Amino acid sequence: MSEINTTKLPPRDTEDSEAKAVGHSPASEHFDEKQRPVHDHNDEKPIFEESYDLNVRDPFPIDESMPEETNQLTLRALVVGAVLGCVVGASNIYLGLKTGFTFGPQLFGAIFGFSIIKAMSKALPADGFLAKIGIGGYFGPKENVTVQTAATASGGLGILFVSAVPAMYQLGLLSPDPKSDFGRLVSLTVASAYFGVFFVIPLRVWYILKLKLVFPTPTATAFTIRSLHSGPHGEAIAKLKARCLAISLAICFCWKTLNGYIPGIFLDWHIGWTLYRLGWTEAIKLENFGWIIEFTPAFFGAGMLSGLNASWSFFMGSVLSWGIIAPSIVKTGQAVGRPIDEENAPGYMSYYSMSFRPQPDGTRPPPSPRYWLLWPGVLMMLVFSFVEIGMSLRHSLRASIKNVGNPWPAFKRIFVKDPNYVPEEDLDPSPLEDRVKTWWWISGVVISVIISCALMSTQFSMGVGETILALILGYIFSFIGVQSAGDTDINPVSTCAKASQIVFGGVSKGQGMAQEPAQLINLAAGTLSAASAAQSTDMCGDLKTGHLLRAKPKNQFVAQLFGTTIAIFLSVGLFVLFTTASPCIITGETPCPYSAPSVSAWAAIAYAVTARDFPVPPSSGYTAIALAIVAGVSVVAKHLWLPRKYWAWFPNWNAVGLAFVVPQLQYSIAMAFGSTFAWLWVKKYPKNYDMYGFAVSAGMLAGEGLGGVFQALLNVAGVLGPAYGIAVGCPLNEFCG
């Protein structure tokens, strides 16, 4: 879902990292964990970690010292994993509506799940009734895999509600109140949820067992789980990390709740407005173009996880778009703003409106800078993603095509027995009884297609052919997503899904559909494609973690289905909550605490590909083409001629493009500071960062996300807002929370 994947561990310059995700290089075959003491600073005794030299493409060696796990799929694993996934899912909807960023729940679920269930296993009897119903008993690494799998599945599906679904409301395609659409929203989520979960099973055979892709973050998760269960020292490390994560989460939760009442002091510092009130009138331009400082733990933590390259590319994209281009197009009259209060604050302008529609006389007024910048940003992200994927995977795709060979003999053997046929070696290390049976996933695919066709037809007036086309596109995008995530740890399905909008724009034009029905089908079909591809990509990563730790695939499959079912109702409920607390999410009114950049992009593309005249200002279109060419050519040059050791200095054009789409510059500023802080921490105290870096950053993300959910509840309850807050430090002395 995210435009920038913040689940990726930041690069480390030391060799003693806890789980060194070196899988970005196809030649990387091993993770090397050095034996070193890890200190709890409140305890003088060092804790020694085990030393591994393990192949990251094949299952880890069996640890003979560990008891056999008879129960890997337990009630406690499913429930704890689902709860942790709900925490991440709630945070991701909040973060996604803010900027389109999300973070993966794999390591969060693995570490926190270990701490919770390990305590349960010690407190509850190891046998008897509680053990039989899956609450008590031994807790091992394979059950830990079930926990993180359930967490990943239940924390998914947020992509729908930070992109296409709000876009439907902004274009007036659904009713004004999401609560009255609850059934339709559940139907759309059900139609999008299961198809990708079922067809990921054959992808496991191809990408994990045959091609043996690395999947850096899932592999790092497997190393983390193995380390946590490596005896008393692993348990002690887990306690330290979980305690740090919990403290970070609690502090940031309280901070977020507090700044909902005093935002001008504890959240945003409007420096331009303050200087303007002190007499420097030109300083109001800082406020007009969004240059404010925000104390946001979530995006500081996102910067820590994303690393210097992505975070500083995002920040420099903000400088280019909102520091150079936006003032230039306003000065030349190619874009205009709206006065906020000419009487009390002359020169105070809003440049954030998003208007696609022409005037009644058919003319189009000059757009806002935000709308003008949208098109260069979207095209940059599309071109960069596809060119980067193509260049990164050109060798592995060529090898994949060679490995496919001639499919006709295999197809023929289904109907005619060949006495000379010798089956290939079975690559799956799991016993037959532990695998997902073929008829399970085939039946699931067929049933999910039928259900999707029925729901989309009755709820969104999509024909059967259109629904099947959307699912086929999702299937194609899943190959791109899984291959990219396996090789580079980047999931580009959100960008790929915009290609489905272009396809369905052509379909609707060919059928001569009216604009509003065409827009609804465009967004609904894009949702199906994006969600099914995102589900398969995330689930394939989970299966990689289970493969390395020798967990049963069928248990993970059940955990994925369980978590996905939870995610359906969680995502819809959270969307209704956020839109009830902040209706501007679905109306598009400004100012709004949620910029929802992905929503704006989806709505703009849906409108553009279904409109009679392409509603893109010529100057914006030419700039978009020029920047896209620069991005594409530079990526090709990077892969062909630039040594890999210098790639860290090469701009991440996806992040640059995202800066054009996100009008809130405080997030790129916070991420730049966060990544710099993490880099300094690694340089100065590398072992300390290995121990606590992820815990601190994940706690920041989850804490502010949950605080945002709590703020929404307070807003709905009527105990948050101008009547209860303080407007000190806010522009025009109006409450800005």
Side-chain angles (χ1 to χ4, degrees):
M1 181 207 78
S2 61
E3 304 296 352
I4 297 179
N5 185 347
T6 59
T7 65
K8 184 168 59 180
L9 295 177
R12 296 165 185 171
D13 297 329
T14 58
E15 291 187 352
D16 51 43
S17 59
E18 173 189 277
K20 208 173 180 186
V22 295
H24 290 258
S25 170
S28 300
E29 293 287 342
H30 293 81
F31 276 26
D32 183 24
E33 293 194 352
K34 309 289 184 180
Q35 186 181 39
R36 73 228 187 243
V38 179
H39 291 269
D40 177 358
H41 295 288
N42 297 320
D43 187 353
E44 295 299 323
K45 295 181 180 180
I47 304 166
F48 285 91
E49 291 199 20
E50 191 174 351
S51 177
Y52 303 116
D53 184 18
L54 303 178
N55 188 319
V56 300
R57 301 181 186 274
D58 296 315
F60 296 159
I62 297 174
D63 189 346
E64 301 292 346
S65 65
M66 298 186 68
E68 182 181 358
E69 288 185 72
T70 55
N71 295 318
Q72 300 176 25
L73 181 67
T74 62
L75 178 62
R76 66 187 181 186
L78 293 175
V79 172
V80 170
V83 170
L84 294 175
C86 289
V87 171
V88 176
S91 301
N92 279 342
I93 288 183
Y94 167 82
L95 298 172
L97 289 172
K98 285 281 188 180
T99 62
F101 285 94
T102 61
F103 74 104
Q106 296 98 328
L107 286 166
F108 183 89
I111 295 171
F112 238 136
F114 175 88
S115 300
I116 294 171
I117 298 184
K118 195 67 175 180
M120 291 175 62
S121 67
K122 288 186 174 182
L124 299 174
D127 51 17
F129 175 74
L130 291 179
K132 288 182 180 179
I133 63 173
I135 296 179
Y138 171 71
F139 176 60
K142 296 176 183 177
E143 187 181 356
N144 211 151
V145 170
T146 303
V147 176
Q148 74 90 25
T149 302
T152 301
S154 57
L157 296 178
I159 183 175
L160 280 68
F161 298 98
V162 299
S163 55
V165 172
M168 294 179 187
Y169 285 96
Q170 289 193 5
L171 293 174
L173 305 176
L174 299 177
S175 70
D177 184 9
K179 290 194 289 291
S180 62
D181 287 330
F182 193 87
R184 294 184 77 184
L185 296 178
V186 169
S187 298
L188 178 62
T189 313
V190 170
S192 307
Y194 292 107
F195 181 66
V197 177
F198 287 113
F199 74 66
V200 76
I201 302 303
L203 298 186
R204 169 183 177 268
V205 176
W206 181 252
Y207 286 109
I208 296 176
L209 302 181
K210 193 158 189 175
L211 295 185
K212 298 185 177 183
L213 299 186
V214 174
F215 293 90
T217 293
T219 297
T221 303
F223 271 93
T224 300
I225 292 175
R226 183 180 175 92
S227 175
L228 295 176
H229 290 270
S230 60
H233 63 282
E235 184 177 346
I237 291 170
K239 286 182 179 179
L240 294 177
K241 291 184 177 182
R243 184 171 64 189
C244 178
L245 196 155
I247 292 172
S248 175
L249 187 152
I251 292 173
C252 295
F253 176 87
C254 295
W255 177 266
K256 180 61 180 176
T257 304
L258 177 64
N259 66 43
Y261 291 94
I262 319 176
I265 297 176
F266 290 104
L267 181 62
D268 294 329
W269 281 9
H270 298 266
I271 298 173
W273 172 259
T274 302
L275 294 174
Y276 171 78
R277 298 301 291 173
L278 292 174
W280 186 11
T281 56
E282 287 296 307
I284 194 62
K285 293 179 180 178
L286 290 173
E287 183 73 27
N288 293 344
F289 290 103
W291 291 97
I292 65 176
I293 302 296
E294 181 169 302
F295 298 94
T296 164
F299 293 99
F300 190 90
M304 292 177 64
L305 288 177
S306 297
L308 289 173
N309 182 269
S311 299
W312 277 90
S313 294
F314 188 30
F315 175 70
M316 295 310 295
S318 295
V319 172
L320 175 62
S321 56
W322 291 95
I324 299 174
I325 296 178
S328 300
I329 59 177
V330 168
K331 187 172 183 178
T332 57
Q334 297 176 72
V336 297
R338 174 180 58 83
I340 294 176
D341 190 338
E342 290 184 287
E343 182 179 347
N344 297 313
Y348 186 22
M349 307 287 290
S350 171
Y351 294 127
Y352 300 142
S353 65
M354 290 288 289
S355 177
F356 315 119
R357 295 174 173 81
Q359 299 289 349
D361 61 0
T363 61
R364 292 187 182 274
S368 69
R370 182 182 180 187
Y371 182 76
W372 193 100
L373 290 167
L374 174 69
W375 299 104
V378 170
L379 192 60
M380 260 194 291
M381 289 190 287
L382 280 170
V383 170
F384 169 79
S385 294
F386 283 114
V387 175
E388 180 70 37
I389 291 168
M391 295 302 296
S392 298
L393 308 183
R394 64 191 190 281
H395 299 303
S396 56
L397 285 175
R398 192 180 299 123
S400 300
I401 294 171
K402 289 181 179 179
N403 287 334
V404 170
N406 183 8
W408 170 247
F411 179 77
K412 183 179 178 181
R413 283 194 300 272
I414 298 176
F415 306 98
V416 180
K417 187 174 181 180
D418 184 357
N420 299 319
Y421 170 66
V422 178
E424 294 183 7
E425 179 186 359
D426 188 358
L427 300 175
D428 198 335
S430 303
L432 287 172
E433 62 272 16
D434 293 341
R435 304 178 192 177
V436 178
K437 299 185 185 303
T438 302
W439 70 267
W440 286 10
W441 68 264
I442 290 179
S443 301
V445 167
V446 172
I447 293 172
S448 63
V449 169
I450 293 172
I451 292 175
S452 296
C453 290
L455 291 175
M456 299 307 290
S457 175
T458 56
Q459 298 297 319
F460 295 91
S461 302
M462 279 184 65
V464 172
E466 294 162 338
T467 302
I468 292 177
L469 175 59
L471 293 175
I472 290 174
L473 288 174
Y475 181 66
I476 294 171
F477 295 154
S478 71
F479 280 86
I480 298 174
V482 173
Q483 183 85 49
S484 179
D487 274 336
T488 69
D489 215 22
I490 297 173
N491 184 351
V493 294
S494 180
T495 303
C496 292
K498 292 180 178 63
S500 72
Q501 289 188 271
I502 297 173
V503 171
F504 276 91
V507 170
S508 61
K509 287 282 183 68
Q511 294 178 349
M513 298 178 64
Q515 189 170 17
E516 286 198 1
Q519 290 172 357
L520 182 61
I521 289 178
N522 186 281
L523 291 169
T527 298
L528 285 180
S529 300
S532 56
Q535 286 284 87
S536 64
T537 302
D538 290 343
M539 301 308 164
C540 206
D542 285 338
L543 292 171
K544 173 67 175 184
T545 302
H547 172 69
L548 292 175
L549 292 168
R550 300 178 182 270
K552 297 179 180 180
K554 69 177 183 181
N555 289 349
Q556 287 189 270
F557 182 64
V558 172
Q560 288 170 343
L561 292 175
F562 177 82
T564 298
T565 304
I566 299 294
I568 291 171
F569 298 98
L570 172 75
S571 301
V572 177
L574 286 170
F575 177 71
V576 171
L577 172 63
F578 277 110
T579 53
T580 302
S582 301
C584 59
I585 294 171
I586 57 175
T587 62
E589 296 176 353
T590 56
C592 182
Y594 300 96
S595 62
S598 294
V599 177
S600 301
W602 279 73
I605 293 174
Y607 185 87
V609 298
T610 57
R612 290 184 178 180
D613 301 318
F614 201 55
V616 179
S619 58
S620 174
Y622 297 144
T623 304
I625 293 171
L627 288 174
I629 291 173
V630 171
V633 171
S634 61
V635 170
V636 173
K638 178 186 76 171
H639 281 270
L640 295 181
W641 299 300
L642 189 68
R644 184 176 289 270
K645 64 181 179 179
Y646 298 118
W647 284 16
W649 298 97
F650 193 86
N652 182 323
W653 288 102
N654 198 53
V656 174
L658 184 61
F660 278 64
V661 178
V662 178
Q664 276 79 6
L665 310 184
Q666 59 266 35
Y667 301 134
S668 64
I669 296 171
M671 287 188 63
F673 275 104
S675 62
T676 304
F677 172 78
W679 180 78
L680 293 172
W681 188 358
V682 169
K683 286 290 184 182
K684 187 73 173 176
Y685 306 105
K687 293 181 180 179
N688 185 269
Y689 180 85
D690 284 342
M691 174 63 74
Y692 298 114
F694 174 80
V696 170
S697 54
M700 287 179 170
L701 286 156
E704 182 172 336
L706 290 178
V709 174
F710 186 60
Q711 276 192 357
L713 290 171
L714 294 176
N715 206 345
V716 172
V719 293
L720 186 70
Y724 296 89
I726 300 173
V728 174
C730 295
L732 297 173
N733 204 32
E734 295 179 357
F735 185 75
C736 53

